[in-house]
Amino acid sequence: MIFNEKNECMSRADLQRLQGERLRDAVTRAYENVPFYRKKFDEHGVKPKDIQSIKDISKLPFTTKDDFRSTYPFGLFAVPLKDVIRIHASSGTTGKPTVVGYTREDIDVWAETCARTLGCGGGTADDILQVAYGYGLFTGGLGVHYGGEKLGATVIPMSGGNTKKQLMLMQDFGTTLLACTPSYSLQIAEEAAQDGIDLSKLKLKAGFFGAEPWTEAMRQQIEQRLPLKAIDIYGLSEVMGPGVASECLEQDGLHVFEDHYYPEIIDPVTGEPVEAGQPGELVFTCLTKRAIPLIRYRTRDLSRLNEAQCPCGRTIRRMARITGRTDDMLIIRGVNVFPSQIEEVLMKVEGVEPHYVIVVDKTGVMDELEIKVEVSEAIFSDEIKKLEHLQRKIHEEMRSMLSLSAKITLVEPKTIERSLGKAKRVIDKREVK
Amino acid sequence: MKVKQLSIFMENRAGRLAEVVRLLGEAKVNIRALSLADTSDFGILRLIVNDVEKAVKVLRDAGHTVSLTDVVTVEVPDTPGGLASVLDPLRGAGVNVEYMYAFVEKVTDKAVVIFRFENADAALKVLSKAGISVLPSEMVSKL
């Protein structure tokens, strides 16, 4: 069900005209209201009047994650704080999170594109949506929640965890749409198998799975174990949250809601746009966002854009499944983790040398994070309780920084591989093709 | 009156203990007493050796994490109630015992027990006042 036929099925010519107008408006708002952008544009030698059409977007400079950090917390806001009615935050590369804000109009656009997402998977106002993404500073839970309400569905704000209760509500309330990470959907299937619950008796129709990369193989697994269409959804808080792009029932690429979030693919090394259909780094421009008019944000996600018309009738282009990152960011249980965050925690804990290695594995259904730390003489103690205290302290500080529980293993010195130049800090044993 | 005890960090992996004692053996260092404290993830090997400096050098050169701790070797009557008679005055003075383990050899007819106290100096005062014999370190390494 196409939630917004007018904008999702616009002719390419009309769409480009709309995008051009909106880009000019966004660039003007950024230039006039965000000192950071004014400086950036001046240094780049570009003014709002230079934007005559959407094609002029390549005249504009990029925005990066570092720009969020250097303007922390509210330096990118184009409106006074009193007009910002919501704040969300996601992992930063260091101790400070990446902060985003939303005006009332932004919340409405966000809800609209999340409603479109649900529509892409066949969702309607008659559906019962169970939101099992985390509610809080992360954008997942509240994003999909507002989308469900905009759609007119009956929304159950379960948030993440408590799998037994998730299943109970699915049975008792007759949930038809499920929103959670793909790994968590398998966790739900595992729990059901253990408790002898026959999932085929549930009324599930579709699942909206994102916040972490997942493969076709995993999709087959999910659709075998749960009686639903597994729909890939994409988003990032810097751009808005969930609702940036979504697969339709063709399950062949994710439609980008490009009347609001304009996508480009660039060569990550040169920064030049690639030829149509070629792979590269995804870049987004927020055409309508008022709190942060984000210009050419480098996501560091690798993808391609498909210009071909989709059988579903939507004219908005599709992006391919994310195939990797250009940086060292990890996604563990749907949470973004930068090795530099881990290094910062270890250095902070008194006397700990940063000889460590991060091991990510997936022995069951969920991701597991282990941090091995070498015990140098600086941190060694003759007392078991002091070493255990150190282990616990690292665990707590790590959890506070990452919002994830990591296994902390103390290891003997020189057991972690030393390399010349860039140290191999991460061993990712999961396979994501 | 305090004796240097060698502590070595060990992962809970097969062969770690064998490797350490082999290294010491090759360096002709004699182990006089030992204790192995364990958790599910790692262990701490505590040793009284006859040549602490050589042991430390050999182990550090091989990349082990070692530290030295002051412990006290106390002569404890080798009869029922003997240990209690040593712990009583310590408890009375509020001196805490972190851990303890025993030597096989004796100097007199008393058992020789190694104590790690929270506060070794306070413990030494209490023991001396209670007339409990503490062995000097030179004697301990020759045991």
Side-chain angles (χ1 to χ4, degrees), chain B residues 1-59:
Chain B
M1 293 316 248
K2 291 182 270 192
V3 175
K4 290 285 178 209
Q5 170 200 261
L6 187 56
S7 304
I8 305 153
F9 174 81
M10 302 203 323
E11 277 180 56
N12 230 350
R13 277 187 292 134
R16 306 314 300 140
L17 177 59
E19 145 105 12
V20 167
V21 299
R22 182 186 57 84
L23 273 170
L24 294 174
E26 281 171 4
K28 309 263 188 291
V29 171
N30 205 4
I31 299 169
R32 314 305 298 141
L34 70 76
S35 157
L36 183 53
D38 62 306
T39 71
S40 50
D41 303 318
F42 60 83
I44 300 180
L45 178 62
R46 298 175 178 126
L47 301 174
I48 307 287
V49 297
N50 67 338
D51 188 342
V52 173
E53 273 172 35
K54 193 196 281 190
V56 167
K57 182 174 191 317
V58 162
L59 291 170

Side-chain angles (χ1 to χ4, degrees), chain A residues 375 377 382 385 412-413, chain B residues 7 16 46 60 65 99 116:
Chain A
V375 177
E377 287 189 14
D382 170 63
K385 69 183 183 214
E412 289 176 29
Chain B
S7 304
R16 306 314 300 140
R46 298 175 178 126
R60 277 191 180 144
T65 294
Y99 55 77
R116 163 93 195 253

Side-chain angles (χ1 to χ4, degrees), chain A residues 108-280:
Chain A
D108 208 49
V109 167
W110 189 12
E112 147 91 29
T113 55
C114 282
R116 290 188 198 177
T117 296
L118 296 168
C120 276
T124 70
D126 295 328
D127 277 304
I128 299 171
L129 167 69
Q130 190 158 328
V131 183
Y133 283 112
Y135 281 65
L137 277 179
F138 287 128
T139 53
L142 282 166
V144 176
H145 180 109
Y146 275 60
E149 288 184 351
K150 183 78 161 185
L151 182 67
T154 306
V155 183
I156 307 164
M158 251 308 275
S159 193
N162 201 339
T163 315
K164 280 194 199 305
K165 192 163 182 176
Q166 302 273 3
L167 279 164
M168 185 181 84
L169 297 193
M170 275 182 223
Q171 291 172 91
D172 297 348
F173 294 0
T175 304
T176 57
L177 306 177
L178 172 63
C180 61
T181 64
S183 312
Y184 193 59
S185 77
L186 285 176
Q187 178 106 313
I188 290 174
E190 285 283 306
E191 181 76 45
Q194 268 171 42
D195 299 348
I197 295 172
D198 183 0
L199 290 169
S200 65
K201 297 227 163 49
L202 295 179
K203 301 213 171 58
L204 295 171
K205 269 169 49 184
F208 298 86
F209 304 131
E212 64 189 15
W214 51 302
T215 58
E216 267 310 313
M218 200 165 175
R219 196 215 298 276
Q220 311 295 350
Q221 234 198 336
I222 295 174
E223 288 187 346
Q224 254 161 47
R225 303 187 67 178
L226 295 156
L228 47 65
K229 276 278 209 184
I231 302 293
D232 192 8
I233 69 172
Y234 175 82
L236 61 165
S237 39
E238 293 94 314
V239 172
M240 190 62 104
V244 174
S246 174
E247 274 182 341
C248 60
L249 290 167
E250 297 293 320
Q251 293 173 299
D252 183 23
L254 293 79
H255 289 282
V256 178
F257 301 118
E258 54 172 311
D259 53 326
H260 291 291
Y261 319 117
Y262 186 77
E264 296 173 81
I265 303 281
I266 62 163
D267 179 322
V269 175
T270 65
E272 293 302 315
V274 301
E275 272 177 42
Q278 288 304 302

